[in-house]
Amino acid sequence: MRFTSGQRLDDSVLEREFTLGEIPGILWTPGSASAPAPLILLGHPGGLRKMYPRLVARARHCAAEGYAAATIELPGSGDRPRSAAAEEARADLRRVLEAGEPVDDGIIDRLVLPLVEKAVPEWRAAVDALLTLPEIGGPVGYAGGVIAIGIRLAVVEPRISAAVLFAGSFVPRSMLEEARQVKIPLHVLLQWDDEGNDRQRALHVFDAFGSREKTLHANLGGHTGVPQFEGEDGNRFFARHLK
């Protein structure tokens, strides 16, 4: 891990950009932490620059609760090399959604499975590097982003103690068995009127999770209409499991 820039935000949160090999990322740490902070990994759908306003807002909420927060760019997003197969699958997905047609399993598999296979090892490498920093002490939580990535991470990464997931239907059916292997506490958000997701399929994914503690928060509204109070509920959830 190599830090490339740093700045203090107006609430004293320290924001540092870094690279992990060729992967860009951002780390936010509380300004007045007296002990190593727990870490929350901030998932997103790709494009750090585009997502930055939302990511920094989430990170500042984390820092206010005493957590460090970090994120990395997804494969094929931002300035990272593109995959022709992924771009073709993404174009097929846009075409189907614009036509109001159901998204078939083939498109989901072509788009999501290669992303999960590449992104999850990168997230685990980021955890390796971040936990060597003296200001970060664990435990680790995962919040948001591509739900299929969250599922795989919850299964294979024992350092993740709890997760807040954004419910979505773009989960390959082959990953439902992995969902059954998830045992960590889950706080799952579902936008009831999400124009890009099949609600019933998203509910099937939630039902498949094997966690003894899993809570579904369903709110009216479209994909970007998650109520502000859900951020506060997510912080309370992490407070129970990361401190």
Side-chain angles (χ1 to χ4, degrees), residues 186-222:
L186 297 177
H187 179 103
V188 183
L189 304 179
L190 172 64
Q191 285 303 101
W192 203 247
D193 308 299
D194 192 331
E195 58 279 7
N197 280 315
D198 182 309
R199 182 195 304 161
Q200 193 57 54
R201 186 162 178 163
L203 290 172
H204 283 319
V205 175
F206 177 79
D207 188 51
F209 285 126
S211 304
R212 294 185 63 181
E213 180 186 338
K214 59 178 181 178
T215 304
L216 179 68
H217 285 216
N219 293 285
L220 298 176

PDB file of all heavy atoms in Angstrom, residues 186-222:
ATOM      1  N   LEU A 186     -26.402  -9.561   9.712  1.00  0.00           N
ATOM      2  CA  LEU A 186     -26.682  -8.791   8.500  1.00  0.00           C
ATOM      3  C   LEU A 186     -27.776  -7.765   8.751  1.00  0.00           C
ATOM      4  O   LEU A 186     -28.769  -8.047   9.422  1.00  0.00           O
ATOM      5  CB  LEU A 186     -27.130  -9.710   7.362  1.00  0.00           C
ATOM      6  CG  LEU A 186     -26.147 -10.762   6.854  1.00  0.00           C
ATOM      7  CD1 LEU A 186     -26.817 -11.611   5.771  1.00  0.00           C
ATOM      8  CD2 LEU A 186     -24.880 -10.116   6.316  1.00  0.00           C
ATOM      9  N   HIS A 187     -27.600  -6.607   8.171  1.00  0.00           N
ATOM     10  CA  HIS A 187     -28.595  -5.534   8.158  1.00  0.00           C
ATOM     11  C   HIS A 187     -28.806  -5.227   6.680  1.00  0.00           C
ATOM     12  O   HIS A 187     -27.895  -4.719   6.018  1.00  0.00           O
ATOM     13  CB  HIS A 187     -28.023  -4.333   8.920  1.00  0.00           C
ATOM     14  CG  HIS A 187     -28.906  -3.136   8.973  1.00  0.00           C
ATOM     15  ND1 HIS A 187     -29.629  -2.795  10.091  1.00  0.00           N
ATOM     16  CD2 HIS A 187     -29.165  -2.163   8.066  1.00  0.00           C
ATOM     17  CE1 HIS A 187     -30.291  -1.671   9.877  1.00  0.00           C
ATOM     18  NE2 HIS A 187     -30.018  -1.275   8.653  1.00  0.00           N
ATOM     19  N   VAL A 188     -29.958  -5.568   6.135  1.00  0.00           N
ATOM     20  CA  VAL A 188     -30.174  -5.517   4.689  1.00  0.00           C
ATOM     21  C   VAL A 188     -31.212  -4.453   4.360  1.00  0.00           C
ATOM     22  O   VAL A 188     -32.310  -4.430   4.935  1.00  0.00           O
ATOM     23  CB  VAL A 188     -30.630  -6.891   4.153  1.00  0.00           C
ATOM     24  CG1 VAL A 188     -30.787  -6.846   2.636  1.00  0.00           C
ATOM     25  CG2 VAL A 188     -29.628  -7.978   4.544  1.00  0.00           C
ATOM     26  N   LEU A 189     -30.878  -3.566   3.410  1.00  0.00           N
ATOM     27  CA  LEU A 189     -31.760  -2.493   2.976  1.00  0.00           C
ATOM     28  C   LEU A 189     -32.377  -2.850   1.627  1.00  0.00           C
ATOM     29  O   LEU A 189     -31.679  -3.272   0.705  1.00  0.00           O
ATOM     30  CB  LEU A 189     -30.984  -1.177   2.846  1.00  0.00           C
ATOM     31  CG  LEU A 189     -30.225  -0.700   4.084  1.00  0.00           C
ATOM     32  CD1 LEU A 189     -29.491   0.595   3.771  1.00  0.00           C
ATOM     33  CD2 LEU A 189     -31.170  -0.507   5.251  1.00  0.00           C
ATOM     34  N   LEU A 190     -33.686  -2.662   1.517  1.00  0.00           N
ATOM     35  CA  LEU A 190     -34.399  -2.936   0.265  1.00  0.00           C
ATOM     36  C   LEU A 190     -35.279  -1.747  -0.078  1.00  0.00           C
ATOM     37  O   LEU A 190     -36.137  -1.351   0.722  1.00  0.00           O
ATOM     38  CB  LEU A 190     -35.259  -4.194   0.407  1.00  0.00           C
ATOM     39  CG  LEU A 190     -36.210  -4.497  -0.769  1.00  0.00           C
ATOM     40  CD1 LEU A 190     -35.425  -4.784  -2.038  1.00  0.00           C
ATOM     41  CD2 LEU A 190     -37.133  -5.661  -0.429  1.00  0.00           C
ATOM     42  N   GLN A 191     -35.054  -1.155  -1.248  1.00  0.00           N
ATOM     43  CA  GLN A 191     -35.954  -0.123  -1.753  1.00  0.00           C
ATOM     44  C   GLN A 191     -37.103  -0.807  -2.489  1.00  0.00           C
ATOM     45  O   GLN A 191     -36.910  -1.439  -3.515  1.00  0.00           O
ATOM     46  CB  GLN A 191     -35.207   0.838  -2.669  1.00  0.00           C
ATOM     47  CG  GLN A 191     -34.293   1.812  -1.920  1.00  0.00           C
ATOM     48  CD  GLN A 191     -35.042   2.622  -0.887  1.00  0.00           C
ATOM     49  OE1 GLN A 191     -34.975   2.317   0.312  1.00  0.00           O
ATOM     50  NE2 GLN A 191     -35.789   3.625  -1.326  1.00  0.00           N
ATOM     51  N   TRP A 192     -38.310  -0.652  -1.945  1.00  0.00           N
ATOM     52  CA  TRP A 192     -39.465  -1.417  -2.392  1.00  0.00           C
ATOM     53  C   TRP A 192     -39.831  -1.143  -3.851  1.00  0.00           C
ATOM     54  O   TRP A 192     -40.327  -2.021  -4.547  1.00  0.00           O
ATOM     55  CB  TRP A 192     -40.651  -1.103  -1.483  1.00  0.00           C
ATOM     56  CG  TRP A 192     -41.703  -2.161  -1.468  1.00  0.00           C
ATOM     57  CD1 TRP A 192     -42.983  -2.061  -1.956  1.00  0.00           C
ATOM     58  CD2 TRP A 192     -41.586  -3.482  -0.932  1.00  0.00           C
ATOM     59  NE1 TRP A 192     -43.663  -3.233  -1.752  1.00  0.00           N
ATOM     60  CE2 TRP A 192     -42.830  -4.128  -1.121  1.00  0.00           C
ATOM     61  CE3 TRP A 192     -40.554  -4.173  -0.301  1.00  0.00           C
ATOM     62  CZ2 TRP A 192     -43.060  -5.433  -0.698  1.00  0.00           C
ATOM     63  CZ3 TRP A 192     -40.777  -5.471   0.109  1.00  0.00           C
ATOM     64  CH2 TRP A 192     -42.022  -6.083  -0.090  1.00  0.00           C
ATOM     65  N   ASP A 193     -39.554   0.061  -4.317  1.00  0.00           N
ATOM     66  CA  ASP A 193     -39.932   0.457  -5.684  1.00  0.00           C
ATOM     67  C   ASP A 193     -38.715   0.619  -6.582  1.00  0.00           C
ATOM     68  O   ASP A 193     -38.752   1.376  -7.552  1.00  0.00           O
ATOM     69  CB  ASP A 193     -40.737   1.769  -5.638  1.00  0.00           C
ATOM     70  CG  ASP A 193     -41.898   1.697  -4.660  1.00  0.00           C
ATOM     71  OD1 ASP A 193     -42.779   0.840  -4.854  1.00  0.00           O
ATOM     72  OD2 ASP A 193     -41.906   2.481  -3.696  1.00  0.00           O
ATOM     73  N   ASP A 194     -37.639  -0.070  -6.263  1.00  0.00           N
ATOM     74  CA  ASP A 194     -36.399   0.014  -7.034  1.00  0.00           C
ATOM     75  C   ASP A 194     -36.662  -0.382  -8.480  1.00  0.00           C
ATOM     76  O   ASP A 194     -37.018  -1.530  -8.779  1.00  0.00           O
ATOM     77  CB  ASP A 194     -35.344  -0.900  -6.405  1.00  0.00           C
ATOM     78  CG  ASP A 194     -33.951  -0.658  -6.963  1.00  0.00           C
ATOM     79  OD1 ASP A 194     -33.842  -0.237  -8.123  1.00  0.00           O
ATOM     80  OD2 ASP A 194     -32.982  -0.882  -6.229  1.00  0.00           O
ATOM     81  N   GLU A 195     -36.474   0.590  -9.372  1.00  0.00           N
ATOM     82  CA  GLU A 195     -36.807   0.372 -10.775  1.00  0.00           C
ATOM     83  C   GLU A 195     -35.865  -0.598 -11.473  1.00  0.00           C
ATOM     84  O   GLU A 195     -36.213  -1.153 -12.530  1.00  0.00           O
ATOM     85  CB  GLU A 195     -36.794   1.720 -11.519  1.00  0.00           C
ATOM     86  CG  GLU A 195     -35.476   2.475 -11.444  1.00  0.00           C
ATOM     87  CD  GLU A 195     -35.256   3.278 -10.158  1.00  0.00           C
ATOM     88  OE1 GLU A 195     -36.067   3.165  -9.214  1.00  0.00           O
ATOM     89  OE2 GLU A 195     -34.255   4.002 -10.106  1.00  0.00           O
ATOM     90  N   GLY A 196     -34.695  -0.851 -10.899  1.00  0.00           N
ATOM     91  CA  GLY A 196     -33.735  -1.714 -11.572  1.00  0.00           C
ATOM     92  C   GLY A 196     -33.631  -3.106 -10.998  1.00  0.00           C
ATOM     93  O   GLY A 196     -32.818  -3.903 -11.460  1.00  0.00           O
ATOM     94  N   ASN A 197     -34.441  -3.419  -9.982  1.00  0.00           N
ATOM     95  CA  ASN A 197     -34.335  -4.713  -9.325  1.00  0.00           C
ATOM     96  C   ASN A 197     -35.668  -5.448  -9.303  1.00  0.00           C
ATOM     97  O   ASN A 197     -36.728  -4.826  -9.196  1.00  0.00           O
ATOM     98  CB  ASN A 197     -33.847  -4.549  -7.876  1.00  0.00           C
ATOM     99  CG  ASN A 197     -32.347  -4.366  -7.781  1.00  0.00           C
ATOM    100  OD1 ASN A 197     -31.592  -5.082  -8.422  1.00  0.00           O
ATOM    101  ND2 ASN A 197     -31.921  -3.384  -7.009  1.00  0.00           N
ATOM    102  N   ASP A 198     -35.583  -6.756  -9.389  1.00  0.00           N
ATOM    103  CA  ASP A 198     -36.748  -7.616  -9.233  1.00  0.00           C
ATOM    104  C   ASP A 198     -36.951  -7.842  -7.733  1.00  0.00           C
ATOM    105  O   ASP A 198     -36.151  -8.514  -7.086  1.00  0.00           O
ATOM    106  CB  ASP A 198     -36.502  -8.940  -9.964  1.00  0.00           C
ATOM    107  CG  ASP A 198     -37.689  -9.892  -9.885  1.00  0.00           C
ATOM    108  OD1 ASP A 198     -38.196 -10.137  -8.764  1.00  0.00           O
ATOM    109  OD2 ASP A 198     -38.090 -10.405 -10.934  1.00  0.00           O
ATOM    110  N   ARG A 199     -38.015  -7.262  -7.180  1.00  0.00           N
ATOM    111  CA  ARG A 199     -38.232  -7.309  -5.732  1.00  0.00           C
ATOM    112  C   ARG A 199     -38.307  -8.741  -5.213  1.00  0.00           C
ATOM    113  O   ARG A 199     -37.701  -9.067  -4.188  1.00  0.00           O
ATOM    114  CB  ARG A 199     -39.515  -6.565  -5.374  1.00  0.00           C
ATOM    115  CG  ARG A 199     -39.791  -6.510  -3.877  1.00  0.00           C
ATOM    116  CD  ARG A 199     -41.238  -6.084  -3.628  1.00  0.00           C
ATOM    117  NE  ARG A 199     -41.546  -4.821  -4.269  1.00  0.00           N
ATOM    118  CZ  ARG A 199     -42.791  -4.409  -4.513  1.00  0.00           C
ATOM    119  NH1 ARG A 199     -43.819  -5.170  -4.199  1.00  0.00           N
ATOM    120  NH2 ARG A 199     -43.014  -3.235  -5.082  1.00  0.00           N
ATOM    121  N   GLN A 200     -39.046  -9.597  -5.900  1.00  0.00           N
ATOM    122  CA  GLN A 200     -39.213 -10.951  -5.406  1.00  0.00           C
ATOM    123  C   GLN A 200     -37.892 -11.713  -5.410  1.00  0.00           C
ATOM    124  O   GLN A 200     -37.581 -12.458  -4.481  1.00  0.00           O
ATOM    125  CB  GLN A 200     -40.251 -11.716  -6.238  1.00  0.00           C
ATOM    126  CG  GLN A 200     -40.717 -13.014  -5.605  1.00  0.00           C
ATOM    127  CD  GLN A 200     -41.305 -12.810  -4.216  1.00  0.00           C
ATOM    128  OE1 GLN A 200     -42.218 -11.999  -4.027  1.00  0.00           O
ATOM    129  NE2 GLN A 200     -40.782 -13.521  -3.224  1.00  0.00           N
ATOM    130  N   ARG A 201     -37.083 -11.464  -6.423  1.00  0.00           N
ATOM    131  CA  ARG A 201     -35.776 -12.138  -6.474  1.00  0.00           C
ATOM    132  C   ARG A 201     -34.883 -11.624  -5.349  1.00  0.00           C
ATOM    133  O   ARG A 201     -34.139 -12.398  -4.734  1.00  0.00           O
ATOM    134  CB  ARG A 201     -35.125 -11.908  -7.829  1.00  0.00           C
ATOM    135  CG  ARG A 201     -33.834 -12.678  -8.029  1.00  0.00           C
ATOM    136  CD  ARG A 201     -33.468 -12.766  -9.493  1.00  0.00           C
ATOM    137  NE  ARG A 201     -32.207 -13.477  -9.675  1.00  0.00           N
ATOM    138  CZ  ARG A 201     -31.811 -13.986 -10.838  1.00  0.00           C
ATOM    139  NH1 ARG A 201     -32.591 -13.895 -11.900  1.00  0.00           N
ATOM    140  NH2 ARG A 201     -30.653 -14.600 -10.944  1.00  0.00           N
ATOM    141  N   ALA A 202     -34.945 -10.317  -5.059  1.00  0.00           N
ATOM    142  CA  ALA A 202     -34.171  -9.768  -3.947  1.00  0.00           C
ATOM    143  C   ALA A 202     -34.609 -10.390  -2.625  1.00  0.00           C
ATOM    144  O   ALA A 202     -33.782 -10.675  -1.750  1.00  0.00           O
ATOM    145  CB  ALA A 202     -34.319  -8.249  -3.905  1.00  0.00           C
ATOM    146  N   LEU A 203     -35.903 -10.621  -2.463  1.00  0.00           N
ATOM    147  CA  LEU A 203     -36.401 -11.246  -1.236  1.00  0.00           C
ATOM    148  C   LEU A 203     -35.929 -12.695  -1.133  1.00  0.00           C
ATOM    149  O   LEU A 203     -35.656 -13.181  -0.032  1.00  0.00           O
ATOM    150  CB  LEU A 203     -37.928 -11.174  -1.195  1.00  0.00           C
ATOM    151  CG  LEU A 203     -38.513  -9.769  -0.988  1.00  0.00           C
ATOM    152  CD1 LEU A 203     -40.034  -9.799  -1.172  1.00  0.00           C
ATOM    153  CD2 LEU A 203     -38.155  -9.220   0.383  1.00  0.00           C
ATOM    154  N   HIS A 204     -35.828 -13.384  -2.256  1.00  0.00           N
ATOM    155  CA  HIS A 204     -35.303 -14.759  -2.249  1.00  0.00           C
ATOM    156  C   HIS A 204     -33.862 -14.780  -1.738  1.00  0.00           C
ATOM    157  O   HIS A 204     -33.469 -15.691  -0.997  1.00  0.00           O
ATOM    158  CB  HIS A 204     -35.368 -15.367  -3.652  1.00  0.00           C
ATOM    159  CG  HIS A 204     -36.740 -15.818  -4.064  1.00  0.00           C
ATOM    160  ND1 HIS A 204     -37.599 -16.468  -3.205  1.00  0.00           N
ATOM    161  CD2 HIS A 204     -37.394 -15.725  -5.249  1.00  0.00           C
ATOM    162  CE1 HIS A 204     -38.729 -16.740  -3.835  1.00  0.00           C
ATOM    163  NE2 HIS A 204     -38.632 -16.294  -5.081  1.00  0.00           N
ATOM    164  N   VAL A 205     -33.075 -13.777  -2.159  1.00  0.00           N
ATOM    165  CA  VAL A 205     -31.686 -13.708  -1.697  1.00  0.00           C
ATOM    166  C   VAL A 205     -31.656 -13.510  -0.190  1.00  0.00           C
ATOM    167  O   VAL A 205     -30.902 -14.182   0.531  1.00  0.00           O
ATOM    168  CB  VAL A 205     -30.933 -12.574  -2.422  1.00  0.00           C
ATOM    169  CG1 VAL A 205     -29.526 -12.420  -1.840  1.00  0.00           C
ATOM    170  CG2 VAL A 205     -30.856 -12.847  -3.919  1.00  0.00           C
ATOM    171  N   PHE A 206     -32.481 -12.589   0.325  1.00  0.00           N
ATOM    172  CA  PHE A 206     -32.517 -12.363   1.772  1.00  0.00           C
ATOM    173  C   PHE A 206     -32.920 -13.632   2.506  1.00  0.00           C
ATOM    174  O   PHE A 206     -32.325 -13.995   3.534  1.00  0.00           O
ATOM    175  CB  PHE A 206     -33.497 -11.238   2.101  1.00  0.00           C
ATOM    176  CG  PHE A 206     -33.647 -11.005   3.582  1.00  0.00           C
ATOM    177  CD1 PHE A 206     -32.691 -10.298   4.289  1.00  0.00           C
ATOM    178  CD2 PHE A 206     -34.741 -11.518   4.267  1.00  0.00           C
ATOM    179  CE1 PHE A 206     -32.819 -10.098   5.661  1.00  0.00           C
ATOM    180  CE2 PHE A 206     -34.871 -11.322   5.636  1.00  0.00           C
ATOM    181  CZ  PHE A 206     -33.910 -10.615   6.331  1.00  0.00           C
ATOM    182  N   ASP A 207     -33.907 -14.320   1.977  1.00  0.00           N
ATOM    183  CA  ASP A 207     -34.374 -15.546   2.621  1.00  0.00           C
ATOM    184  C   ASP A 207     -33.285 -16.612   2.653  1.00  0.00           C
ATOM    185  O   ASP A 207     -33.225 -17.415   3.585  1.00  0.00           O
ATOM    186  CB  ASP A 207     -35.604 -16.068   1.874  1.00  0.00           C
ATOM    187  CG  ASP A 207     -36.267 -17.225   2.596  1.00  0.00           C
ATOM    188  OD1 ASP A 207     -36.553 -17.100   3.799  1.00  0.00           O
ATOM    189  OD2 ASP A 207     -36.484 -18.281   1.966  1.00  0.00           O
ATOM    190  N   ALA A 208     -32.390 -16.590   1.658  1.00  0.00           N
ATOM    191  CA  ALA A 208     -31.353 -17.622   1.575  1.00  0.00           C
ATOM    192  C   ALA A 208     -30.254 -17.428   2.609  1.00  0.00           C
ATOM    193  O   ALA A 208     -29.579 -18.403   2.973  1.00  0.00           O
ATOM    194  CB  ALA A 208     -30.739 -17.633   0.176  1.00  0.00           C
ATOM    195  N   PHE A 209     -30.046 -16.219   3.093  1.00  0.00           N
ATOM    196  CA  PHE A 209     -28.941 -15.997   4.033  1.00  0.00           C
ATOM    197  C   PHE A 209     -29.073 -16.906   5.247  1.00  0.00           C
ATOM    198  O   PHE A 209     -30.138 -17.040   5.841  1.00  0.00           O
ATOM    199  CB  PHE A 209     -28.904 -14.542   4.497  1.00  0.00           C
ATOM    200  CG  PHE A 209     -28.379 -13.578   3.469  1.00  0.00           C
ATOM    201  CD1 PHE A 209     -29.116 -12.470   3.089  1.00  0.00           C
ATOM    202  CD2 PHE A 209     -27.140 -13.770   2.890  1.00  0.00           C
ATOM    203  CE1 PHE A 209     -28.642 -11.576   2.154  1.00  0.00           C
ATOM    204  CE2 PHE A 209     -26.648 -12.890   1.942  1.00  0.00           C
ATOM    205  CZ  PHE A 209     -27.402 -11.785   1.570  1.00  0.00           C
ATOM    206  N   GLY A 210     -27.937 -17.506   5.647  1.00  0.00           N
ATOM    207  CA  GLY A 210     -27.944 -18.443   6.762  1.00  0.00           C
ATOM    208  C   GLY A 210     -27.697 -17.803   8.116  1.00  0.00           C
ATOM    209  O   GLY A 210     -27.583 -18.526   9.112  1.00  0.00           O
ATOM    210  N   SER A 211     -27.610 -16.482   8.187  1.00  0.00           N
ATOM    211  CA  SER A 211     -27.320 -15.791   9.442  1.00  0.00           C
ATOM    212  C   SER A 211     -28.453 -15.956  10.443  1.00  0.00           C
ATOM    213  O   SER A 211     -29.633 -15.850  10.079  1.00  0.00           O
ATOM    214  CB  SER A 211     -27.099 -14.301   9.179  1.00  0.00           C
ATOM    215  OG  SER A 211     -26.081 -14.092   8.227  1.00  0.00           O
ATOM    216  N   ARG A 212     -28.096 -16.171  11.699  1.00  0.00           N
ATOM    217  CA  ARG A 212     -29.108 -16.230  12.759  1.00  0.00           C
ATOM    218  C   ARG A 212     -29.652 -14.844  13.057  1.00  0.00           C
ATOM    219  O   ARG A 212     -30.797 -14.702  13.501  1.00  0.00           O
ATOM    220  CB  ARG A 212     -28.515 -16.848  14.020  1.00  0.00           C
ATOM    221  CG  ARG A 212     -28.121 -18.311  13.862  1.00  0.00           C
ATOM    222  CD  ARG A 212     -27.651 -18.910  15.166  1.00  0.00           C
ATOM    223  NE  ARG A 212     -28.715 -18.925  16.174  1.00  0.00           N
ATOM    224  CZ  ARG A 212     -28.566 -19.374  17.411  1.00  0.00           C
ATOM    225  NH1 ARG A 212     -27.377 -19.826  17.801  1.00  0.00           N
ATOM    226  NH2 ARG A 212     -29.569 -19.378  18.252  1.00  0.00           N
ATOM    227  N   GLU A 213     -28.837 -13.812  12.849  1.00  0.00           N
ATOM    228  CA  GLU A 213     -29.306 -12.436  12.980  1.00  0.00           C
ATOM    229  C   GLU A 213     -29.275 -11.785  11.604  1.00  0.00           C
ATOM    230  O   GLU A 213     -28.217 -11.495  11.055  1.00  0.00           O
ATOM    231  CB  GLU A 213     -28.436 -11.628  13.945  1.00  0.00           C
ATOM    232  CG  GLU A 213     -28.923 -10.179  14.078  1.00  0.00           C
ATOM    233  CD  GLU A 213     -28.012  -9.295  14.899  1.00  0.00           C
ATOM    234  OE1 GLU A 213     -27.242  -9.832  15.715  1.00  0.00           O
ATOM    235  OE2 GLU A 213     -28.068  -8.064  14.720  1.00  0.00           O
ATOM    236  N   LYS A 214     -30.435 -11.595  11.034  1.00  0.00           N
ATOM    237  CA  LYS A 214     -30.536 -10.876   9.760  1.00  0.00           C
ATOM    238  C   LYS A 214     -31.826 -10.061   9.798  1.00  0.00           C
ATOM    239  O   LYS A 214     -32.891 -10.564  10.147  1.00  0.00           O
ATOM    240  CB  LYS A 214     -30.523 -11.836   8.564  1.00  0.00           C
ATOM    241  CG  LYS A 214     -31.631 -12.880   8.540  1.00  0.00           C
ATOM    242  CD  LYS A 214     -31.557 -13.737   7.281  1.00  0.00           C
ATOM    243  CE  LYS A 214     -32.686 -14.771   7.223  1.00  0.00           C
ATOM    244  NZ  LYS A 214     -32.647 -15.588   5.986  1.00  0.00           N
ATOM    245  N   THR A 215     -31.698  -8.791   9.462  1.00  0.00           N
ATOM    246  CA  THR A 215     -32.828  -7.877   9.532  1.00  0.00           C
ATOM    247  C   THR A 215     -33.008  -7.219   8.178  1.00  0.00           C
ATOM    248  O   THR A 215     -32.040  -6.727   7.585  1.00  0.00           O
ATOM    249  CB  THR A 215     -32.590  -6.792  10.595  1.00  0.00           C
ATOM    250  OG1 THR A 215     -32.326  -7.415  11.844  1.00  0.00           O
ATOM    251  CG2 THR A 215     -33.810  -5.894  10.733  1.00  0.00           C
ATOM    252  N   LEU A 216     -34.252  -7.199   7.679  1.00  0.00           N
ATOM    253  CA  LEU A 216     -34.572  -6.560   6.409  1.00  0.00           C
ATOM    254  C   LEU A 216     -35.297  -5.248   6.679  1.00  0.00           C
ATOM    255  O   LEU A 216     -36.341  -5.236   7.335  1.00  0.00           O
ATOM    256  CB  LEU A 216     -35.453  -7.479   5.553  1.00  0.00           C
ATOM    257  CG  LEU A 216     -35.881  -6.919   4.193  1.00  0.00           C
ATOM    258  CD1 LEU A 216     -34.678  -6.807   3.266  1.00  0.00           C
ATOM    259  CD2 LEU A 216     -36.961  -7.803   3.567  1.00  0.00           C
ATOM    260  N   HIS A 217     -34.738  -4.143   6.192  1.00  0.00           N
ATOM    261  CA  HIS A 217     -35.375  -2.837   6.281  1.00  0.00           C
ATOM    262  C   HIS A 217     -35.865  -2.469   4.885  1.00  0.00           C
ATOM    263  O   HIS A 217     -35.060  -2.172   3.999  1.00  0.00           O
ATOM    264  CB  HIS A 217     -34.388  -1.786   6.783  1.00  0.00           C
ATOM    265  CG  HIS A 217     -34.094  -1.880   8.239  1.00  0.00           C
ATOM    266  ND1 HIS A 217     -33.891  -0.782   9.035  1.00  0.00           N
ATOM    267  CD2 HIS A 217     -33.972  -2.952   9.060  1.00  0.00           C
ATOM    268  CE1 HIS A 217     -33.651  -1.159  10.277  1.00  0.00           C
ATOM    269  NE2 HIS A 217     -33.688  -2.483  10.314  1.00  0.00           N
ATOM    270  N   ALA A 218     -37.169  -2.508   4.667  1.00  0.00           N
ATOM    271  CA  ALA A 218     -37.758  -2.187   3.368  1.00  0.00           C
ATOM    272  C   ALA A 218     -38.408  -0.813   3.440  1.00  0.00           C
ATOM    273  O   ALA A 218     -39.208  -0.534   4.342  1.00  0.00           O
ATOM    274  CB  ALA A 218     -38.790  -3.247   2.977  1.00  0.00           C
ATOM    275  N   ASN A 219     -38.055   0.045   2.491  1.00  0.00           N
ATOM    276  CA  ASN A 219     -38.598   1.405   2.450  1.00  0.00           C
ATOM    277  C   ASN A 219     -39.180   1.695   1.076  1.00  0.00           C
ATOM    278  O   ASN A 219     -38.660   1.233   0.052  1.00  0.00           O
ATOM    279  CB  ASN A 219     -37.501   2.427   2.751  1.00  0.00           C
ATOM    280  CG  ASN A 219     -37.000   2.335   4.180  1.00  0.00           C
ATOM    281  OD1 ASN A 219     -37.675   2.766   5.099  1.00  0.00           O
ATOM    282  ND2 ASN A 219     -35.821   1.762   4.358  1.00  0.00           N
ATOM    283  N   LEU A 220     -40.250   2.475   1.055  1.00  0.00           N
ATOM    284  CA  LEU A 220     -40.815   2.908  -0.215  1.00  0.00           C
ATOM    285  C   LEU A 220     -39.834   3.810  -0.944  1.00  0.00           C
ATOM    286  O   LEU A 220     -39.048   4.519  -0.326  1.00  0.00           O
ATOM    287  CB  LEU A 220     -42.129   3.660   0.018  1.00  0.00           C
ATOM    288  CG  LEU A 220     -43.267   2.862   0.667  1.00  0.00           C
ATOM    289  CD1 LEU A 220     -44.462   3.778   0.913  1.00  0.00           C
ATOM    290  CD2 LEU A 220     -43.663   1.679  -0.205  1.00  0.00           C
ATOM    291  N   GLY A 221     -39.871   3.762  -2.269  1.00  0.00           N
ATOM    292  CA  GLY A 221     -39.010   4.635  -3.057  1.00  0.00           C
ATOM    293  C   GLY A 221     -38.115   3.863  -4.003  1.00  0.00           C
ATOM    294  O   GLY A 221     -37.999   2.637  -3.925  1.00  0.00           O
ATOM    295  N   GLY A 222     -37.495   4.637  -4.911  1.00  0.00           N
ATOM    296  CA  GLY A 222     -36.638   4.046  -5.924  1.00  0.00           C
ATOM    297  C   GLY A 222     -35.229   3.792  -5.426  1.00  0.00           C
ATOM    298  O   GLY A 222     -34.931   3.925  -4.229  1.00  0.00           O
TER     299      GLY A 222
END
